[in-house]
Amino acid sequence: MPDQELVVLDQVNKRFGDHHVLRNVNLSVRRGEVVVVIGPSGAGKSTLCRAINRLETIDSGTITVDGVPLPAEGRALARLRAEVGMVFQSFNLFSHRTVLDNVVLGQVHVLNKRRDAAERRARELLDRVGIGAQAAKFPAQLSGGQQQRVAIARALAMDPKVMLFDEPTSALDPEMVNEVLDVMTSLARDGMTMIVVTHEMGFARRAADRVVFMADGEIVEQNGPDDFFGTPATERARSFLAKILTH
Amino acid sequence: MDALLTEWPTITLAFWMTVKLAAVSAIGSLVLGTALTAMRVAPLATLRGAAGTYVTVARNTPLTLVLLFTGLGVGANLGVELSADIATNNFWLATIGLTAYTSAFVCEALRSGINTVPVGQAEAARSLGLGFVKTLALITLPQAFRAVIAPLGSILIALTKNTTIALVVGVSEASVRMREMIETYGDQVLQIFFGFALGFVVLCLPTGLLFGWLSRRLAVAR
């Protein structure tokens, strides 16, 4: 069924000067699917992720979200971004607002919800990610893991059709990685459509429906996690996995 | 000391004019300076160019020239009348000149404040679906303001002292009163000087302290 395809990238190319960061990338993500993108640094994983809500522009090709091609600018683009949740490596919580305000802001100013309804929803989401007790604090008063969970709640508050995660655990202390991955795993289990750029192979094995392996701006190989980790088809993927899984 | 004591009521009246000039121009420059900053980071090149040109011109023109232009050029020559009362008219012309000049400095301070706000803040706002104006108004500018409170305080102090140049538009603020008094009380020139200087210290010193305290109080923790 074609309407099952929620995010479709078709022949996407992007260059930073001479550097060809995305080469003819084709990818389609079904509704409810969890796609984990892995690969060496500089492979274009983050650029791919950021292109889907147009934080990066692309040079050629098309990206469609729920059947709608990405608008270039203005209100239409803002509307689309509201439907695509984004979680950043560096959290990017609004530093001058409380945790609660961070989760309320988008609901009030983008979805035009009433403040009390937005607060109720925000508290619900903060409880869900286990930060309910910290609602009145400012981001800088929380640990990295807590901040990232607030960032996930902030994105969820927009009721997005798809969630993008751009290396959500790379800036975290090791002991905080799991609290964030647990939230993501439970999201995946609840049927959220997710595109996750990460180096966490355990998460990829556990939660992914499909693993996409990128290198040098290209999608080299994609497969279910068991097949990908068990019997990688390409030499490039084999050597990558050998390097990261042997220690 | 006699002169300062006998003229105490006219001196306070003159300083009151100084305060009014500074306060009205400060509000005006904050509003215009913020608008200019918004233009300078706008996605439209025309807006950026216009605001950039304005700031360059206003910042590099001596204030005396700006005020002579508003007083003689806009007021006398072009015949712009903002009030039937000549004193009130001059007051508004002076505040327009002071605002036009000071807003360029406010804009530069705020723009450097925007540079202290990590790019990720605006990216997060945009990815929630906030447009350019809301991102600026809700996320970027509030953090930029908090980062530049101390320099804004310095600009306000400079503005307070710059009000003395309003004499070229014919506004009787403190420095005009001082000159008149020196002419009348030629034997007490030093006392009069120090008296008025002290008056400005009394106005400016608390401003500096207040803004220093505010900048510590409102600093954004990252």
Side-chain angles (χ1 to χ4, degrees):
Chain A
M1 286 202 317
D3 67 329
Q4 289 290 89
E5 307 290 337
L6 188 57
V7 179
V8 181
L9 285 81
D10 185 31
Q11 291 294 315
V12 171
N13 277 282
K14 162 95 183 166
R15 283 185 179 80
F16 286 124
D18 287 340
H19 187 40
H20 202 161
V21 269
L22 294 178
R23 297 170 191 259
N24 297 323
V25 171
N26 294 301
L27 177 70
S28 70
V29 179
R30 294 188 313 277
R31 208 176 293 278
E33 193 179 18
V34 176
V35 171
V36 171
V37 183
I38 63 171
S41 300
K45 311 183 295 291
S46 285
T47 309
L48 176 82
C49 193
R50 291 164 58 85
I52 295 172
N53 68 354
R54 216 180 151 83
L55 286 177
E56 300 285 354
T57 55
I58 54 174
D59 297 334
S60 66
T62 56
I63 299 177
T64 49
V65 175
D66 207 7
V68 184
L70 274 194
E73 319 248 334
R75 279 175 202 282
L77 178 60
R79 224 175 352 256
L80 176 124
R81 280 177 173 152
E83 295 176 348
V84 177
M86 177 92 183
V87 175
F88 299 87
Q89 179 177 349
S90 48
F91 330 134
N92 295 342
L93 292 180
F94 305 131
S95 328
H96 64 309
R97 297 288 193 120
T98 62
V99 163
L100 184 69
D101 274 349
N102 265 274
V103 187
V104 164
L105 193 126
Q107 299 183 67
V108 170
H109 291 281
V110 177
L111 304 179
N112 297 317
K113 279 204 215 171
R114 286 166 49 106
R115 170 117 201 149
D116 52 348
E119 276 194 17
R120 223 174 307 125
R121 174 84 175 126
R123 290 191 190 278
E124 202 178 288
L125 287 165
L126 287 172
D127 283 338
R128 179 169 168 192
V129 298
I131 316 276
Q134 326 277 351
K137 289 192 178 168
F138 282 89
Q141 295 171 292
L142 303 187
S143 73
Q146 290 173 323
Q147 289 192 50
Q148 194 60 298
R149 285 184 280 153
V150 175
I152 294 173
R154 175 175 70 179
L156 288 175
M158 307 303 289
D159 291 321
K161 291 176 177 166
V162 51
M163 288 277 285
L164 309 173
F165 293 84
D166 185 9
E167 303 204 20
T169 56
S170 298
L172 294 176
D173 290 337
E175 72 265 33
M176 291 167 186
V177 169
N178 279 331
E179 60 189 65
V180 172
L181 291 180
D182 288 346
V183 170
M184 291 168 58
T185 310
S186 89
L187 264 184
R189 218 177 287 129
D190 292 347
M192 174 60 77
T193 310
M194 294 164 62
I195 298 173
V196 184
V197 173
T198 187
H199 294 294
E200 296 296 331
M201 298 304 144
F203 174 79
R205 279 180 196 276
R206 197 165 63 239
D209 295 314
R210 179 159 41 122
V211 176
V212 170
F213 175 69
M214 281 185 81
D216 304 319
E218 286 177 304
I219 294 183
V220 177
E221 157 167 10
Q222 46 183 316
N223 215 335
D226 293 339
D227 292 331
F228 176 78
F229 289 109
T231 52
T234 59
E235 182 51 41
R236 191 74 186 80
R238 267 196 296 276
S239 85
F240 175 76
L241 287 175
K243 276 178 204 143
I244 57 163
L245 294 178
T246 46
H247 57 82
Chain B
M1 284 298 281
D2 293 353
L4 290 174
L5 291 175
T6 29
E7 296 289 346
W8 181 246
T10 64
I11 294 172
T12 47
L13 219 59
F15 267 110
W16 175 235
M17 180 55 82
T18 299
V19 170
K20 279 197 293 187
L21 277 173
V24 174
S25 310
I27 293 167
S29 331
L30 217 52
V31 173
L32 185 57
T34 308
L36 284 168
T37 310
M39 285 170 70
R40 291 200 82 171
V41 296
L44 280 171
T46 357
L47 287 179
R48 285 200 301 273
T53 311
Y54 177 86
V55 168
T56 309
V57 171
R59 208 159 56 121
N60 293 301
T61 310
L63 179 56
T64 315
L65 259 67
V66 174
L67 283 174
L68 279 173
F69 175 75
T70 48
L72 300 176
V74 179
N77 204 326
L78 297 176
V80 174
E81 204 180 71
L82 301 160
S83 164
D85 174 39
I86 182 106
T88 316
N89 193 44
N90 288 348
F91 172 82
W92 286 115
L93 287 172
T95 53
I96 288 174
L98 286 165
T99 299
Y101 177 81
T102 312
S103 55
F105 293 89
V106 171
C107 172
E108 283 301 274
L110 264 182
R111 201 164 63 107
S112 73
I114 283 185
N115 291 337
T116 69
V117 181
V119 190
Q121 296 282 309
E123 282 188 348
R126 282 156 61 205
S127 74
L128 284 181
L130 292 166
F132 169 75
V133 174
K134 279 188 172 176
T135 298
L136 202 62
L138 293 167
I139 307 300
T140 323
L141 274 179
Q143 296 186 59
F145 262 109
R146 286 154 179 246
V148 296
I149 286 173
L152 284 179
S154 302
I155 292 172
L156 181 56
I157 288 173
L159 169 64
T160 308
K161 297 187 291 184
N162 283 343
T163 56
T164 51
I165 302 177
L167 74 90
V168 304
V169 194
V171 178
S172 1
E173 39 65 59
S175 73
V176 169
R177 186 71 202 114
M178 184 181 85
R179 217 171 45 168
E180 292 167 356
M181 280 180 62
I182 287 172
E183 279 164 19
T184 321
Y185 306 93
D187 56 335
Q188 300 176 46
V189 173
L190 284 183
Q191 289 94 317
I192 291 168
F193 262 124
F194 286 123
F196 276 87
L198 186 68
F200 277 98
V201 170
V202 167
L203 288 184
C204 294
L205 199 66
T207 310
L209 292 174
L210 173 71
F211 276 73
W213 177 75
L214 276 177
S215 82
R216 283 189 299 279
R217 182 80 207 277
L218 296 176
V220 177
R222 296 198 190 282

